[in-house]
Amino acid sequence: MLKEIDLENLPSPEVCITEVREWLAQRPSKPLAYLHSFGCQLNVAEGEKLSGILKQMGYGFTDDVSQASLILYHTCAVRENAEDRVFGTLGSIKKLKQENPGLILCVTGCMTAQKQVADKMRASYRHVDIVIGTSALNRLAQMIYAHMKGLRYAEDIVTHIDIPENLESVRESSFKAAVPIMYGCNNFCTFCIVPYVRGRERSRTPEHIIEEIRNLVENGYKEIMLLGQNVNSYGKDLENKMTFPELLREINKIPGEYWIRFMSSHPKDATPEMMDTILECEHMAKHLHLPVQSGSNPVLKRMNRRYTVEKYLSQVQYIRDKAPDFSLTTDLIVGFPDESEEDFQKTLDLVKQVRYDNMYSFIYSRRTGTKAAEMPDSTPESEKSQRMQRLLALQREISVENNQRFVGKTIAVLCDGESRKRPGRMTGRSTENMLVEFSGTPDMIGQFVTVRITESHNNMICGELV
Ligand code: SF4
């Protein structure tokens, strides 16, 4: 029986969900699942949908891995050391499987979409039952069904191009929701593994996106984050083409009290129309995260980013001409292969010119399977660390100065929790995505409040409830 299950000809996911639910219902108590999503917000959002599939099958959830009948790791491939951590975790839970042979151990996501990882898993981690690549939303129910039917090891690392819709999510927050609008990437930046593991760009239809957001807003969600590897190339692959700004304008028509954010956007697709849409639409958060990665044209070329520093600065100028205080943040890679001191100086110059409110900076980390991993690199690690410290110091200085512009202003804040550092105070985010700490009470969590800003620091602004 074990060898006769054809993974290509399994019943539909819906049928598999029903069959597994009936199988699990025979157990004396409700089986529990432990799910951990590593990596980016897209992975977290997919993890919420995977939880939805497990819930439909009849699983409850636990944070205690030792209590679980099913363990699912939804992995990330961006950094190699994150992969090492997953292998370490899998090694450490081997004894749980020995103690409980009925435990189902499943690994999915970008890491397992790589053939060499799946090969390693099959050969050396034989306690793993199910391995799926980036198509877990399509395949999870079927693979658990195959396992239920007696298949010892089920594997599918093929990237499926269809996007499963109408999947319920088990959302972690009751007021902030992430909504993927597209999957995959066509860009092949030379440092990035994503196009190899997530396939080419596939956009969800505007109808599905708008219906999901309308439901969220009707259910009290106040912040919707649109997700994709390159959100502003949305719609190019659709039969009825639609641009990203057109999608934003359609979403903006949904009545209610909410903000729309998005990430990540690519400077090569950041059009004046997109900037105008952000400025003109009432629900659009007044903040743009525009990853520049480097301030040097030769480095941008080696990264295959397909824009120049001059083009990037003209986009910044366009939006700042219309809104001088407009909030911009970015991603920067320090120490890309053979980045010279001159290249790095140009990055510092760009940061001084744009004056970001915040940045996410990373020391370049070599990623097997990418083009950049083959590039010569003569810059010592100690030099890269020093450059990082210089960049962080510059950004700290700029953030301190930028944040002073809020002092004395009264702003809307979406309250998201209690301050960990100062008991009795609450925290939230402004439309610029600025961290705000203020006087308030826990019943404000998930609500918009008005705060008068009295102080600014390098990483947050503080004030009193109005
Ligand atoms: S745009 Fe570049 S960095 Fe972003 S996911 Fe695509 S290839 Fe990776």
Side-chain angles (χ1 to χ4, degrees):
M1 178 184 73
L2 300 189
K3 290 177 196 133
E4 285 165 10
I5 297 165
D6 178 1
L7 288 178
E8 296 312 311
N9 287 300
L10 291 168
S12 70
E14 293 74 20
V15 171
C16 291
I17 287 173
T18 308
E19 294 266 336
V20 174
R21 188 168 56 232
E22 284 168 9
W23 174 58
L24 292 175
Q26 295 162 17
R27 298 194 178 181
S29 60
K30 194 177 180 76
L32 299 177
Y34 172 92
L35 186 151
H36 185 88
S37 289
F38 296 83
C40 67
Q41 292 202 42
L42 201 60
N43 247 24
V44 174
E46 276 186 12
E48 292 183 341
K49 286 211 187 294
L50 293 174
S51 294
I53 294 171
L54 294 172
K55 186 179 161 200
Q56 273 184 288
M57 286 178 175
Y59 282 99
F61 296 95
T62 177
D63 290 334
D64 179 353
V65 74
S66 69
Q67 299 299 311
S69 328
L70 180 143
I71 298 173
L72 195 163
Y73 290 113
H74 192 41
T75 62
C76 168
V78 169
R79 283 164 193 274
E80 263 177 78
N81 57 11
E83 291 191 1
D84 294 341
R85 278 217 316 276
V86 172
F87 279 121
T89 305
L90 289 175
S92 71
I93 59 168
K94 187 173 180 181
K95 78 171 189 331
L96 287 180
K97 182 81 182 177
Q98 285 162 347
E99 287 162 10
N100 174 12
L103 171 68
I104 303 174
L105 181 51
C106 178
V107 191
T108 71
C110 293
M111 174 178 158
T112 39
Q114 302 165 92
K115 187 176 174 305
Q116 75 277 11
V117 172
D119 290 347
K120 182 171 170 181
M121 206 76 81
R122 204 182 315 113
S124 311
Y125 293 78
R126 293 181 56 80
H127 55 297
V128 174
D129 302 294
I130 297 172
V131 170
I132 315 174
T134 49
S135 297
L137 296 181
N138 309 64
R139 291 292 261 165
L140 180 66
Q142 292 176 315
M143 298 306 233
I144 294 178
Y145 170 88
H147 179 82
M148 173 191 95
K149 289 289 179 189
L151 191 67
R152 197 213 64 77
Y153 176 76
E155 175 186 304
D156 180 7
I157 61 166
V158 173
T159 302
H160 293 244
I161 54 165
D162 54 316
I163 302 172
E165 291 292 354
N166 306 321
L167 292 175
E168 190 192 334
S169 288
V170 176
R171 296 197 182 269
E172 284 177 13
S173 165
S174 58
F175 58 95
K176 283 186 179 188
V179 175
I181 62 167
M182 61 189 299
Y183 296 92
C185 183
N186 292 354
N187 290 329
F188 291 91
C189 301
T190 55
F191 53 81
C192 181
I193 195 79
V194 164
Y196 303 97
V197 293
R198 286 203 167 257
R200 299 297 81 75
E201 289 172 1
R202 280 110 54 213
S203 303
R204 291 178 70 198
T205 65
E207 292 77 18
H208 282 121
I209 296 168
I210 288 165
E211 189 194 337
E212 183 172 350
I213 296 175
R214 191 184 300 281
N215 274 333
L216 288 165
V217 172
E218 283 172 5
N219 282 297
Y221 280 81
K222 298 283 188 273
E223 185 180 291
I224 312 293
M225 173 69 84
L226 309 179
L227 292 180
Q229 309 298 345
N230 183 15
V231 281
N232 51 341
S233 79
Y234 172 83
K236 289 178 185 160
D237 59 314
L238 289 173
E239 209 172 305
N240 296 321
K241 301 232 176 323
M242 178 179 246
T243 65
F244 182 57
E246 283 166 353
L247 175 70
L248 294 179
R249 287 185 188 271
E250 286 305 310
I251 295 170
N252 190 61
K253 290 178 190 163
I254 298 171
E257 193 191 23
Y258 62 96
W259 283 339
I260 295 284
R261 301 188 187 277
F262 58 83
M263 73 184 305
S264 277
S265 59
H266 194 298
K268 83 174 168 48
D269 298 310
T271 58
E273 191 196 354
M274 182 183 103
M275 316 273 192
D276 290 340
T277 304
I278 296 170
L279 293 174
E280 286 161 19
C281 289
E282 64 165 312
H283 294 294
M284 289 304 308
K286 304 305 177 225
H287 163 237
L288 177 59
H289 183 73
L290 198 57
V292 68
Q293 307 298 7
S294 170
S296 156
N297 282 334
V299 174
L300 288 175
K301 192 147 201 262
R302 291 207 299 282
M303 288 178 168
N304 192 32
R305 290 291 286 175
R306 291 185 275 171
Y307 53 84
T308 60
V309 172
E310 293 71 25
K311 171 90 194 311
Y312 185 92
L313 288 173
S314 73
Q315 292 164 334
V316 170
Q317 196 58 46
Y318 183 88
I319 201 153
R320 288 264 170 82
D321 278 349
K322 296 192 169 196
D325 278 345
F326 192 85
S327 178
L328 287 163
T329 54
T330 200
D331 294 337
L332 270 165
I333 296 174
V334 173
F336 188 75
D338 267 355
E339 177 195 69
S340 65
E341 173 61 24
E342 192 190 342
D343 293 321
F344 178 66
Q345 272 300 338
K346 287 183 176 156
T347 294
L348 295 181
D349 291 345
L350 177 127
V351 170
K352 282 180 200 156
Q353 237 178 305
V354 179
R355 298 184 61 78
Y356 297 104
D357 276 343
N358 200 358
M359 72 168 58
Y360 300 90
S361 45
F362 309 89
I363 293 183
Y364 170 74
S365 147
R366 191 180 163 281
R367 177 63 266 197
T368 306
T370 61
K371 284 211 170 133
E374 312 299 321
M375 293 180 185
D377 187 8
S378 55
T379 315
E381 289 304 313
S382 57
E383 177 62 35
K384 294 181 183 181
S385 299
Q386 278 178 20
R387 286 180 192 168
M388 183 67 152
Q389 292 313 315
R390 287 158 65 197
L391 178 65
L392 291 175
L394 172 63
Q395 182 55 46
R396 209 172 299 121
E397 214 176 276
I398 294 171
S399 294
V400 167
E401 289 167 11
N402 280 4
N403 293 352
Q404 283 170 6
R405 74 185 190 276
F406 292 97
V407 176
K409 287 196 177 151
T410 299
I411 61 170
V413 175
L414 177 56
C415 178
D416 58 17
E418 294 180 63
S419 166
R420 269 184 251 146
K421 289 194 180 144
R422 293 175 68 184
R425 305 271 293 174
M426 305 304 293
T427 59
R429 293 271 166 182
S430 70
T431 184
E432 297 87 358
N433 207 27
M434 192 63 67
L435 177 61
V436 185
E437 190 212 83
F438 58 97
S439 56
T441 47
D443 60 325
M444 291 168 185
I445 295 173
Q447 303 299 321
F448 285 111
V449 294
T450 307
V451 175
R452 195 170 57 79
I453 303 302
T454 53
E455 314 166 27
S456 69
H457 304 271
N458 73 328
N459 56 357
M460 72 162 134
I461 51 180
C462 305
E464 303 303 320
L465 198 68
V466 175

